Each structure stands twice: as C-alpha cells, then as structure tokens.
Amino acid sequence: MPEIRRVLCPVDFSEPSENALDYAIDFAAKFGAEVHLVHVYQLPVYALPDGAMMAGPEFTTKVTSELQKALQELADRKRGESTIETHLVEGIPYKEIVRLSGELGADLVVMGTHGRTGIKHLLLGSVAERVVRSSEIPVITVPAAGS
Amino acid sequence: MAPRSLLIAFDFSEPSRRAVAWARMLRARLHAAVTVVHVDVDPLARSSLFAEAASWDSPKERERRLTRLDRDLREMVDEVFGPDGDAVRTMVVRGRPVEEVTRIALEEDVDLVLVGASGKDAVERLLLGSVTQELVRSCPLPVLTVR
C-alpha cells in the first residue's frame, strides 16, 4: 500500500498557493508526514546583440535573501504542530519541483492551481499542469477557492 | 480539510488501478467513503454536434454493455478492497467523462477526485490523458493524479 511520509508543496506566495499549503499541512498531519515547502524562482536574463546580460551579484543576493525571508516567514506562520522544511531553488519551476520531489524521496506533491496572475491557468496553473504531466509521484492539485 | 469522501474516475487502465490503490490507503487511514465511477464514453458524445443524436448501439446492446461494465467494476473493487469492498460504491454512467465525474463529485459531496495520469487510448498512454488534463483544469475540487 502507498505510504505518505513526505509531502512537497510548491508555493509562489499567492493566495491559491497558500490555500494549497494549508491543505498539504492538514493532509500531512493525518499521516504524521513532513511538509517540504519549495519556492522556485528565475532570475532575468536579457538577450542583447552582443550576448546575454544577467542580473549582477548584488541584485541576485538581494532577491534570494528576500525570497528566503518570505519563505521562512510563511513556514513559521503555518508551522503549528507539523514539521515544515523550506527549499529555495533557482530554475525552471516545474523541472525543479519534479527534480526536488525525487531528491527528497517525496511521496506526494500538493499544489495550487490558478496562481498569482489574474488570468486562469497562467503561472502556477500551468506550472501545476506541467508538474502533473511529468511527476513520477502522485500530485494533488488544489483549485483556488471560488474558482 | 483532509478528504472524507473520495471519487475515483476509473477507466480500467493501469494508472487508474493505482489510483484505486491510493483510495484504499486513504480509506484505511482517513476512514473516507469511496465511490468508483466508470464513464462509458458514448462515441457520438465525443462531438457536441452529435451529442443529442442516437448512439451507435441499440438500447438492448447498451444495456448489456453497461451490465457487463458494472460487473467488471464490482469485481475489480472486490479484488482490491477485499471484504471492505461492500462499503465501496460503484457507478457506471454513460456520457462525457469530465462532465459526469464533476457532476457526480458535486452531487455526492465528494472532496477529492482521484484519477490515473494517462488513459487507455494508445495516444494518451505516454502523455497526460486528455480527461485527466481537463479535470485538473476545470474540476472545482482537489484532484489527485496518480501515474
């Protein structure tokens, strides 16, 4: 029989993703499972005639430390009785989510659909679809409330 | 928020059998009610143009077919759930899978829909089944997709 020991929950700090996190925490609690929070970010790269231009180290450091802080705050706010670990990863969201789920030996991914853009299926919505498409482990997609 | 009532969209494919195994585990751990539904796709209902037209098969053939599917579904449930199979509800309906699954889920106060990642179709075997993709997109309830 399948077991649930580790639940991976990708978040983008939007309300639907926070709903999904609440769902993940509640679900994990029933199984005494750990919750692993992950945020995947991408740094801008500009294509110029003379080659690519990337954000400088100062900007990069600022972005990552702000994201780390936001992720930690979210975990602290939601923790309660459960074990929550955080992961901040740079890269293409769905690929990193699937890779991390394998690396952690997660048993389940729980993620929201309809991310922070007003347009349905953009961002988290389409990330969720891609994760469902390429994940080896089961994925629970949690729709935004009232969608 | 942990699920209390599960609905499995079952199509006799391997991934959907694994979804049933998950439902069995969730039932054991969460004491959730389980309903298994198989939607017999009306070939003409695939196209909205012909949805109202007569079906391929005669009423008699259709009845025989539904009775057989009902029996196959019941056998599968009894095999997986053993003595607990009696508590699991089975339903065979005819129509369009996403519509029927969503309708039944809402009518029966289901709070988690389980589905296999790919369908029975040769085309769908490698990819995410079109029914699954549409459910993830449009179902107002959380969907657990199992590969």
Side-chain angles (χ1 to χ4, degrees), chain B residues 54-120:
Chain B
S55 303
W56 290 117
D57 46 5
S58 71
K60 207 171 181 178
E61 279 171 337
R62 190 185 315 177
E63 182 140 343
R64 261 208 298 272
R65 185 180 160 74
L66 293 180
T67 309
R68 185 173 52 75
L69 285 167
D70 214 26
R71 200 188 51 220
D72 291 350
L73 195 59
R74 183 34 72 185
E75 267 175 25
M76 182 282 296
V77 164
D78 287 341
E79 208 174 287
V80 174
F81 288 86
D84 294 340
D86 290 347
V88 176
R89 223 171 129 201
T90 57
M91 295 170 89
V92 174
V93 295
R94 199 175 165 101
R96 287 184 232 178
V98 176
E99 268 174 36
E100 291 304 312
V101 169
T102 306
R103 180 183 61 78
I104 293 166
L106 294 174
E107 270 175 22
E108 305 287 324
D109 269 333
V110 160
D111 46 23
L112 181 65
V113 176
L114 291 89
V115 67
S118 57
K120 265 188 103 63

Side-chain angles (χ1 to χ4, degrees), chain A residues 18-33:
Chain A
E18 205 169 302
N19 283 346
L21 175 58
D22 289 336
Y23 191 95
I25 289 170
D26 211 56
F27 205 96
K30 291 277 190 288
F31 295 87

Side-chain angles (χ1 to χ4, degrees), chain A residues 43-46 52-61 63:
Chain A
L43 290 170
V45 178
Y46 299 97
M53 201 170 155
M54 292 173 65
E58 200 181 315
F59 176 78
T60 307
T61 311
V63 168

Side-chain angles (χ1 to χ4, degrees), chain A residues 1-4 22-23 26-27 30-31 107-108 113-114 121 129 132-136 138-143 147, chain B residues 1-3 21-22 24-26 28-30 111-112 127-128 132-133 136-137 139-147:
Chain A
M1 252 204 311
E3 259 303 319
I4 303 176
D22 289 336
Y23 191 95
D26 211 56
F27 205 96
K30 291 277 190 288
F31 295 87
D107 306 292
L108 180 69
T113 56
H114 307 164
H121 312 312
E129 261 181 53
V132 170
R133 208 177 277 278
S134 43
S135 174
E136 290 298 320
V139 181
I140 298 185
T141 39
V142 182
S147 70
Chain B
M1 236 181 337
W22 267 76
R24 178 175 167 238
M25 183 275 282
L26 293 175
R29 299 290 293 269
L30 306 174
D111 46 23
L112 181 65
L127 294 160
L128 189 66
T132 305
Q133 176 170 325
V136 167
R137 267 190 200 170
C139 186
L141 299 163
V143 176
L144 171 57
T145 308
V146 181
R147 182 141 312 261

Side-chain angles (χ1 to χ4, degrees), chain A residues 18-145:
Chain A
E18 205 169 302
N19 283 346
L21 175 58
D22 289 336
Y23 191 95
I25 289 170
D26 211 56
F27 205 96
K30 291 277 190 288
F31 295 87
E34 300 167 2
V35 176
H36 288 253
L37 215 63
V38 59
H39 177 74
V40 186
Y41 65 99
Q42 282 176 292
L43 290 170
V45 178
Y46 299 97
L48 297 170
D50 299 334
M53 201 170 155
M54 292 173 65
E58 200 181 315
F59 176 78
T60 307
T61 311
K62 186 160 167 46
V63 168
T64 51
S65 78
E66 286 297 318
L67 287 173
Q68 189 59 60
K69 211 169 84 189
L71 197 59
Q72 201 51 54
E73 272 171 14
L74 182 60
D76 291 342
R77 187 152 53 82
K78 299 288 182 184
R79 185 163 282 117
E81 305 284 294
S82 44
T83 306
I84 302 186
E85 302 214 2
T86 61
H87 306 268
L88 184 62
V89 184
E90 205 233 318
I92 297 166
Y94 84 93
K95 283 191 180 165
E96 293 305 320
I97 291 163
V98 170
R99 188 191 55 74
L100 187 63
S101 74
E103 198 179 291
L104 292 171
D107 306 292
L108 180 69
V109 175
V110 175
M111 66 187 298
T113 56
H114 307 164
R116 60 184 314 152
T117 56
I119 305 159
K120 287 184 176 186
H121 312 312
L122 280 184
L123 224 73
L124 193 63
S126 66
V127 174
E129 261 181 53
R130 287 192 180 129
V131 171
V132 170
R133 208 177 277 278
S134 43
S135 174
E136 290 298 320
I137 62 170
V139 181
I140 298 185
T141 39
V142 182

